[in-house]
Amino acid sequence: KAGVTQTPRYLIKTRGQQVTLSCSPISGHRSVSWYQQTPGQGLQFLFEYFSETQRNKGNFPGRFSGRQFSNSRSEMNVSTLELGDSALYLCASSLGGAITEAFFGQGTRLTVV
Amino acid sequence: GESVGLHLPTLSVQEGDNSIINCAYSNSASDYFIWYKQESGKGPQFIIDIRSNMDKRQGQRVTVLLNKTVKHLSLQIAATQPGDSAVYFCAENRPGAGNMLTFGGGTRLMVKP
């Protein structure tokens, strides 16, 4: 069974640009959550999608958005990039419904210059 | 918002010894807890989970203990190996939060051969 796949693995963007990251969950999993990991703030929850609907949202500005498709794949978008958005963005896949084990992908390392 | 122990202490142990990694959580409503292991350049790897109706759960070489009275979680690793060297995170979930996880700051485990 394939794990969680995140693409791309690495990105370098310029301030003011926008970026889209992709996550393919484990087959059969319907919940996808996104996290931002930085040395200073640790792992912080961005949002969760379940059955194409945003179920929970963390304390991030509106520049951070996401969506989920009917095949459970998810994308997150960050607009008007700032230097502080440089981070490892992680996607977690869960069966959905009630809380169960969440499995993470390798992450996308975003560097904003 | 509420957090789970934001700091990154380091635990150094000798190969073959047992390791105990601790985590304090602040939300008394939390009812599901997970331990993750993160190696450099990789996403967090699921180790073991426990629900609040249990005090202890065992896996292969790992045991998680939950003390709800003092809101404390610990991960015990038996016969620690060099491959156990990584950063370990605890995470919690509470009812109504879907699959949203709140992470602690992590503990770095260093295993000396």
Side-chain angles (χ1 to χ4, degrees):
Chain A
K1 201 175 204 182
V4 182
T5 304
Q6 290 189 246
T7 56
R9 288 292 312 277
Y10 303 93
L11 267 177
I12 300 176
K13 290 286 188 178
T14 304
R15 274 180 300 175
Q17 287 186 313
Q18 74 159 8
V19 65
T20 298
L21 312 181
S22 179
C23 172
S24 293
I26 293 170
S27 178
H29 284 196
R30 295 164 61 198
S31 169
V32 173
S33 298
W34 288 90
Y35 294 82
Q36 181 196 65
Q37 186 174 28
T38 60
Q41 298 297 318
L43 276 148
Q44 292 189 295
F45 173 80
L46 281 156
F47 26 66
E48 179 201 1
Y49 286 88
F50 175 68
S51 294
E52 301 179 64
T53 301
Q54 187 180 85
R55 185 158 68 170
N56 287 286
K57 190 177 190 306
N59 294 325
F60 279 83
R63 300 184 297 107
F64 292 81
S65 63
R67 59 178 176 168
Q68 187 179 33
F69 302 96
S70 58
N71 62 357
S72 294
R73 190 179 70 87
S74 177
E75 289 181 347
M76 68 162 280
N77 184 76
V78 188
S79 61
T80 320
L81 283 165
E82 301 177 359
L83 295 179
D85 296 332
S86 295
L88 180 66
Y89 289 88
L90 292 159
C91 162
S93 164
S94 303
L95 275 171
I99 181 73
T100 56
E101 302 99 319
F103 299 94
F104 282 84
Q106 298 276 53
T108 294
R109 172 72 63 184
L110 171 65
T111 302
V112 182
V113 298
Chain B
E2 291 179 286
S3 65
V4 185
L6 277 173
H7 60 282
L8 189 61
T10 298
L11 174 65
S12 185
V13 301
Q14 203 70 40
E15 181 180 359
D17 287 352
N18 296 334
S19 302
I20 300 176
I21 301 171
N22 297 302
C23 177
Y25 64 96
S26 57
N27 193 332
S28 55
S30 297
D31 64 354
Y32 179 72
F33 304 87
I34 303 180
W35 280 100
Y36 286 95
K37 169 188 179 184
Q38 188 174 28
E39 296 172 284
S40 181
K42 297 184 177 181
Q45 175 189 350
F46 175 90
I47 301 174
I48 191 167
D49 61 356
I50 188 168
R51 297 190 183 273
S52 59
N53 60 352
M54 302 174 71
D55 297 324
K56 178 180 178 179
R57 192 165 188 221
Q58 289 184 291
Q60 188 177 14
R61 282 201 307 120
V62 295
T63 300
V64 55
L65 298 178
L66 175 62
N67 186 329
K68 296 180 286 294
T69 302
V70 295
K71 290 184 283 192
H72 183 267
L73 195 66
S74 68
L75 177 71
Q76 300 178 0
I77 304 173
T80 313
Q81 302 168 359
D84 295 326
S85 294
V87 177
Y88 290 79
F89 294 95
C90 63
E92 56 94 357
N93 175 272
R94 56 187 180 273
N99 283 287
M100 180 179 77
L101 295 171
T102 301
F103 281 82
T107 295
R108 183 176 304 280
L109 176 64
M110 296 177 63
V111 182
K112 295 176 287 187

